[in-house]
Amino acid sequence: MWYAIEGHDGADVLALRAAARPAHLQRLQALAEAGRLLLAGPCPAVDAEDPGPAGYSGSIVIAEFESLEAARSWAEADPYVAAGVYARVDVRPFRKVLP
């Protein structure tokens, strides 16, 4: 089943995000290579493709896991969590309809 994972950035974490990004992307790439990643990306804190120093409000990942518990475990092990980038992470089932 698909699960939506939404990480919400804390305040002033842009430098922490940059430092943890390579490890974060490596985990996402592993999901993609396994055919389990629907989409992933950051949410700019301002209405711009490149938010610059405004940074990001968080990230969204939609990926396939065997259970909600497995999705939560994967999300809790994210390098952004370990680095203190995310102040909160929400994980919930997702049903793909379109396209």
Side-chain angles (χ1 to χ4, degrees):
M1 181 165 180
W2 295 107
Y3 293 90
I5 300 168
E6 187 171 8
H8 302 269
D9 282 21
D12 301 317
V13 295
L14 193 55
L16 296 175
R17 180 182 265 275
R21 189 171 188 263
H24 172 78
L25 291 178
Q26 185 176 29
R27 294 179 81 232
L28 292 171
Q29 188 61 42
L31 283 178
E33 289 171 3
R36 297 174 43 208
L37 183 64
L38 183 62
L39 66 85
C43 301
V46 295
D47 189 13
E49 180 83 18
D50 179 358
Y56 299 90
S57 62
S59 301
I60 297 172
V61 174
I62 299 180
E64 188 174 36
F65 294 93
E66 57 273 7
S67 67
L68 179 58
E69 186 58 39
R72 284 182 176 149
S73 292
W74 186 90
E76 290 169 4
D78 193 287
Y80 283 173
V81 171
V85 173
Y86 292 154
R88 184 177 100 240
V89 178
D90 298 323
V91 181
R92 57 193 179 276
F94 177 81
R95 188 172 144 227
K96 183 179 182 238
V97 175
L98 293 172

